[in-house]
Amino acid sequence: MKSTKPHDQAICTHTAMKMFVDIQKIYLYREPVDFRKAIDGLALMVEQEMDCSPFAPAIFVFCNKGRDKVKVLYWDQTGFCLWYKRLEKETFKWPRHHPDEVLLLSETQWQSILSGFPIMGHQSLDFTSIS
């Protein structure tokens, strides 16, 4: 049985962690990532493949091949943090068909991905003639 003591409830309500403090940018790496990579491997990807500093006031978002897991790497001025989310059903609506390997997201787009909504609209078409 779970304890329902007032003391236990007070601990839970006062120890909430504030995540993503002072984040100015949200970078999404579009290609699937090997999720065996941890902090050091992802930080190296940020530097070498995303051409960004992992120490920037930003979060760096990665997805696995099955699109049911997301990892977020960020620096909080004292060390690296790695946030992980696994969906039990469904998949993230990951922007797979985009020419850029790295996308800069708005807060709204980031929340849309976490909520299961796609962030990319219809692909624009470029015609030169009707006939």
Side-chain angles (χ1 to χ4, degrees), residues 44-57:
L44 195 60
M45 282 187 68
V46 168
E47 278 189 338
Q48 294 180 350
E49 296 185 35
M50 298 175 76
D51 198 28
C52 294
S53 169
F55 304 104

Side-chain angles (χ1 to χ4, degrees), residues 3-69:
S3 171
T4 57
K5 297 177 193 172
H7 173 72
D8 293 339
Q9 292 171 350
I11 290 173
C12 292
T13 58
H14 288 69
T15 58
M17 180 177 94
K18 183 168 178 157
M19 294 177 26
F20 312 141
V21 178
D22 296 326
I23 297 304
Q24 296 175 7
K25 294 186 178 180
I26 303 166
Y27 293 100
L28 179 139
Y29 188 74
R30 197 180 49 74
E31 294 297 320
V33 171
D34 179 353
F35 260 39
R36 292 176 291 185
K37 289 184 187 293
I39 288 173
D40 293 336
L42 293 173
L44 195 60
M45 282 187 68
V46 168
E47 278 189 338
Q48 294 180 350
E49 296 185 35
M50 298 175 76
D51 198 28
C52 294
S53 169
F55 304 104
I59 64 172
F60 303 94
V61 182
F62 305 91
C63 193
N64 69 330
K65 188 175 182 179
R67 294 182 295 127
D68 63 339
K69 298 175 185 79

